């Protein structure tokens, strides 16, 4: 019997590649995110990752001080998760989620509802943090539409970050690089992040925005703004803003893509507030660095606004890989780890290590300010720097030469390491920062 499948000889494929380095081959066809290729043509090849360590093709090891954008919080290639994914891969890989269902998604919805703030009732799947927010924004807009109200304005924080698709990008105030797209944005009004100095002003600004516009939703990162250099604010101030939104039937959307799954010391940062959001978006460590997936959860009230005898009021948003069973199995295994005593102890251990480190450096002459929430620690250097300027790359190199992967945001250095980072590894990260402070 003749096989129609073309036989691919892996040896011959390898042969083409063997006389060129990964770095050279990378440059031929790849286009990297957030990269000006004319100035920064080189990308460092990583061949392996395990626990808190990345292995370069140059033979060097790097401690992953930011858990690869806070995804691999349980450690890279975590054995418990690997086992679960392996089992799931033998069982069911992918199925259309419109009209079909499967146990990994059902079980994940049950487990998420157990750990989410208790007003959350429904789970909607998508692929990444941007789409999770896109879904949240669309849900909020259609919620009002379905109720016969025309509401088209979104309120968001200045300097917030919600992703790079159009809705999410419109809501992102941190848009220095969004110039080419601004003409196409949805209508967003901005308020500053709150502090005890400005909260009263913010509340009056909020009220005037509400008076002059038809506000559909308020989207915010609860307590910590990741991309905005880990800027932090207080729960009681956010509560006051949320209270005004609730009073005016404005749908509140908590973007927990960064803060979710234990990083602030609680499972979700929203737990620090008295008032719970209508919608919560999550991704990143939801799938522990293994595969992309995202979830947007909402209240029964939001969900009910889409129920009708006609199809027209349904939520017609779908991604092909919605609720991919393999991704769901990863998320389930991740939640098991998060809730275990072992990981809860890790979170406490890192939190107090950061506090001690903070005491050591907060008065250093090169340190302008420091802040911490749970395992998230950030310090601002006492120097002026561009977000992607030359100095920023020098500092990045300083860490890499010492085997530490940290990704400075302008003059801010932050640590958000995997929960399993051990004390020695964490000390190496601190030491590299101390050395930098001495050398500056
Ligand atoms: C990373 C991030 C996003 C975007 O998620 P992607 O998966 O990169 O699309 C949105 N919001 C916050 C708070 C994030 O940290």
């Amino acid at each position: 019997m003749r096989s129609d499948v073309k036989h691919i000889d892996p040896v011959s494929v390898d042969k083409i590649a063997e006389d060129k380095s990964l770095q050279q081959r990378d440059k031929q066809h790849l286009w990297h995110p957030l990269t000006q290729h004319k100035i920064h043509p080189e990308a460092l090849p990583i061949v392996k990752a395990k626990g808190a360590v990345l292995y370069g093709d140059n033979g060097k090891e790097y401690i992953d001080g930011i858990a690869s954008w806070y995804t691999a919080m349980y450690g890279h290639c975590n054995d418990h998760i690997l086992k679960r994914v392996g089992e799931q891969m033998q069982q069911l890989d992918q199925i259309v989620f419109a009209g079909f269902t499967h146990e990994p998604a059902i079980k994940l919805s049950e487990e998420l509802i157990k750990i989410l703030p208790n007003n959350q009732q429904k789970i909607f799947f998508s692929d990444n943090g941007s789409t999770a927010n896109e879904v949240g924004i669309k849900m909020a807009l259609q919620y009002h539409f379905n109720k016969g109200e025309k509401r088209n304005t979104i309120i968001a924080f200045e300097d917030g970050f919600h992703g790079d698709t159009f809705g999410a990008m419109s809501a992102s105030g941190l848009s220095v690089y969004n110039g080419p797209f601004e003409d196409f944005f949805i209508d967003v009004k901005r308020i500053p992040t709150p502090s005890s100095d400005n909260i009263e002003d913010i509340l009056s600004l909020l009220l005037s925005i509400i008076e002059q516009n038809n506000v559909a939703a308020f989207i915010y990162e609860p307590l910590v703004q990741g991309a905005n250099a880990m800027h932090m604010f207080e729960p009681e101030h956010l509560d006051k803003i949320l209270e005004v939104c609730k009073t005016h039937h404005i749908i509140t959307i908590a973007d927990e893509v960064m803060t979710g799954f234990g990083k602030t010391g609680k499972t979700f940062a929203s737990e620090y507030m008295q008032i719970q959001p209508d919608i919560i978006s999550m991704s990143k460590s939801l799938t522990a660095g293994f595969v992309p997936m995202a979830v947007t959860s909402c209240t029964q009230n939001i969900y009910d606004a889409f129920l009708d005898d006609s199809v027209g009021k349904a939520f017609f948003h779908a991604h092909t890989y919605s609720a991919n069973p393999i991704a769901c199995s990863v998320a389930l295994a991740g939640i098991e780890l998060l809730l275990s005593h072992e990981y809860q102890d890790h979170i406490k251990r890192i939190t107090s290590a950061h506090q001690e480190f903070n005491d050591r450096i907060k008065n250093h002459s090169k340190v302008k300010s420091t802040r911490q929430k749970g395992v998230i620690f950030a310090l601002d250097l006492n120097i002026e720097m561009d977000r992607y300027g030359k100095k920023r790359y020098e500092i990045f190199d300083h860490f890499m030469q010492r085997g530490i992967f940290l990704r400075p945001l302008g003059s801010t250095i932050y640590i958000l390491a995997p929960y399993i980072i051990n004390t020695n590894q964490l000390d190496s990260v601190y030491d590299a920062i101390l050395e930098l402070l001495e050398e500056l």
Side-chain angles (χ1 to χ4, degrees):
M1 201 181 83
R2 192 180 66 93
S3 163
D4 283 336
V5 181
K6 196 176 149 214
H7 179 68
I8 298 174
D9 176 9
V11 180
S12 69
V13 176
D14 271 68
K15 238 183 227 139
I16 309 170
E18 84 191 355
D19 53 341
K20 282 197 174 154
S21 72
L22 287 176
Q23 217 159 39
Q24 284 166 326
R25 284 162 60 203
D26 172 276
K27 275 188 259 186
Q28 274 178 320
H29 302 298
L30 289 176
W31 188 343
H32 288 265
L34 304 179
T35 302
Q36 174 47 272
H37 280 276
K38 191 165 178 192
I39 312 177
H40 299 285
E42 310 278 298
L44 177 68
I46 297 295
V47 292
K48 181 183 144 172
K50 189 74 187 170
V53 181
L54 308 170
Y55 298 81
D57 83 331
N58 53 6
K60 279 194 71 168
E61 294 179 13
Y62 304 92
I63 295 169
D64 189 349
I66 64 161
S68 292
W69 269 339
Y70 10 108
T71 54
M73 294 306 292
Y74 313 105
H76 287 275
C77 296
N78 179 287
D79 288 327
H80 175 72
I81 301 178
L82 272 174
K83 184 165 164 285
R84 292 304 200 74
V85 183
E87 288 161 5
Q88 185 57 44
M89 280 182 162
Q90 312 272 338
Q91 183 70 30
L92 174 66
D93 53 353
Q94 165 71 356
I95 176 73
V96 172
F97 205 55
F100 293 95
T101 193
H102 52 80
E103 199 187 357
I106 294 166
K107 180 105 174 85
L108 180 55
S109 69
E110 292 163 352
E111 295 308 312
L112 281 172
I113 293 303
K114 277 187 212 160
I115 61 173
L116 279 161
N118 52 26
N119 66 343
Q120 300 296 299
Q121 281 301 322
K122 294 286 172 179
I123 297 294
F124 190 93
F125 286 96
S126 67
D127 298 342
N128 57 66
S130 306
T131 57
N133 287 323
E134 207 74 35
V135 164
I137 291 168
K138 284 176 73 176
M139 273 179 183
L141 292 173
Q142 191 178 340
Y143 170 89
H144 296 294
F145 181 89
N146 282 359
K147 293 202 165 244
E149 273 192 67
K150 192 180 165 352
R151 295 200 186 200
N152 53 7
T153 300
I154 308 278
I155 296 177
F157 280 134
E158 289 165 3
D159 298 328
F161 177 73
H162 302 290
D164 283 339
T165 52
F166 266 90
M169 187 168 55
S170 309
S172 299
L174 204 73
S175 60
V176 265
Y177 304 98
N178 287 347
F181 316 111
E182 276 166 8
D183 288 349
F184 308 96
F185 283 0
I186 54 177
D187 185 34
V188 176
K189 298 283 180 283
R190 297 194 190 286
I191 57 172
T193 47
S195 67
S196 20
D197 295 338
N198 68 2
I199 182 67
E200 294 310 322
D201 293 344
I202 291 175
L203 295 178
S204 14
L205 174 61
L206 191 58
L207 285 171
S208 75
I209 294 173
I210 294 169
E211 240 165 61
Q212 288 158 27
N213 301 272
N214 296 311
V215 179
F218 168 52
I219 183 166
Y220 60 97
E221 293 155 276
L223 305 189
V224 189
Q225 295 181 305
N228 184 24
M230 301 292 156
H231 176 72
M232 297 180 189
F233 47 90
E234 295 304 320
E236 68 256 35
H237 298 144
L238 182 53
D239 256 331
K240 288 195 172 149
I241 296 172
L242 294 176
E243 198 182 334
V244 173
C245 292
K246 290 274 149 154
T247 313
H248 292 86
H249 304 289
I250 292 166
I251 305 298
T252 50
I253 307 171
D255 177 352
E256 295 244 17
V257 172
M258 194 280 288
T259 49
F261 302 97
K263 299 182 199 85
T264 63
K266 293 191 190 276
T267 304
F268 291 95
S270 291
E271 292 169 46
Y272 284 95
M273 269 63 72
Q274 302 293 319
I275 300 179
Q276 295 308 325
D278 300 298
I279 294 175
I280 299 179
S281 52
M282 61 210 96
S283 186
K284 291 204 166 113
S285 53
L286 168 70
T287 39
F290 274 71
V291 285
M293 187 172 75
V295 158
T296 308
S297 67
C298 71
T299 60
Q300 190 70 39
N301 178 44
I302 299 279
Y303 178 79
D304 286 346
F306 292 73
L307 298 179
D308 195 66
D309 292 329
S310 85
V311 228
K313 286 194 175 175
F315 191 50
F316 267 78
H317 182 111
H319 295 284
T320 308
Y321 276 94
S322 291
N324 170 261
I326 293 165
C328 289
S329 75
V330 171
L332 279 165
I335 293 171
E336 284 169 9
L337 293 176
L338 177 67
L339 300 181
S340 69
H341 284 300
E342 190 190 335
Y343 277 79
Q344 290 298 315
D345 287 347
H346 284 318
I347 292 174
K348 290 189 195 110
R349 171 179 58 87
I350 297 172
T351 303
S352 50
H354 283 345
Q355 279 157 0
E356 280 167 34
F357 178 60
N358 183 47
D359 290 339
R360 283 168 70 193
I361 61 153
K362 66 182 179 205
N363 295 323
H364 194 287
S365 62
K366 295 288 161 42
V367 175
K368 190 163 147 200
S369 57
T370 61
R371 54 199 167 275
Q372 183 189 354
K373 193 93 198 158
V375 303
I376 309 168
F377 179 82
L379 68 93
D380 296 330
L381 297 171
N382 224 341
I383 46 176
E384 281 306 311
M385 275 166 58
D386 284 340
R387 194 171 167 92
Y388 290 103
K390 183 161 167 281
K391 189 83 195 155
R392 184 251 170 220
Y393 284 90
E394 281 169 20
I395 294 178
F396 178 83
D397 289 342
H398 162 96
F399 290 125
M400 289 299 277
Q401 275 159 22
R402 282 157 188 78
I404 311 290
F405 170 41
L406 291 176
R407 215 170 177 281
L409 293 162
S411 57
T412 301
I413 294 165
Y414 74 94
I415 310 172
L416 187 32
Y419 298 137
I420 46 78
I421 190 170
N422 68 34
T423 305
N424 284 341
Q425 290 167 329
L426 197 50
D427 283 342
S428 308
V429 176
Y430 294 149
D431 288 345
I433 293 177
L434 285 168
E435 270 182 60
L436 174 78
L437 294 177
E438 291 312 308
E439 282 171 22
L440 275 175

